[in-house]
Amino acid sequence: MEWQAAGGGFCQWQHSTAGGQPGAAQGRGGTGRVLGAFAQRQPEDNAANFHQLFAWHAEGKLKPLVSQTYPLEEAGAAIEKLGQRQAVGKLVVLAR
């Protein structure tokens, strides 16, 4: 598995393309599915991971790729882009 830092101190993983890992051929990640189970089974380790991610964010070590921003009125367009798998990096919907 490969861990990647994502925007705002959140993390995501994706399977390696080697070794026939499930999901590798489809290019699917498992952000919620696996991390949710990890957080339930190992809450102290999960909290430590998030503390480290937030520290890296505060130090400027995390640089999320924001490919596009949308005003709140165009949130539907952002969701559509995600649904069509056209987003590269993060899409940000501005609430103000």
Side-chain angles (χ1 to χ4, degrees):
M1 252 181 259
E2 176 182 286
W3 286 93
Q4 300 175 342
F10 296 100
C11 57
Q12 63 188 17
W13 67 269
Q14 62 187 19
H15 286 288
S16 165
T17 56
Q21 294 288 327
Q26 297 86 3
R28 293 179 298 179
T31 305
R33 181 179 62 227
V34 172
L35 290 180
F38 173 76
Q40 288 178 342
R41 285 192 319 270
Q42 297 174 257
E44 296 85 12
D45 292 334
N46 185 58
N49 288 344
F50 274 93
H51 285 293
Q52 181 63 67
L53 286 170
F54 288 130
W56 286 336
H57 184 265
E59 296 167 10
K61 292 181 177 179
L62 296 180
K63 306 255 189 259
L65 170 62
V66 176
S67 59
Q68 198 166 359
T69 59
Y70 292 84
L72 185 57
E73 300 78 30
E74 296 178 23
I79 293 170
E80 181 70 21
K81 190 166 192 166
L82 287 172
Q84 294 179 1
R85 301 182 62 91
Q86 296 176 339
V88 176
K90 304 298 175 192
L91 302 182
V92 176
V93 176
L94 302 172
R96 296 179 192 216

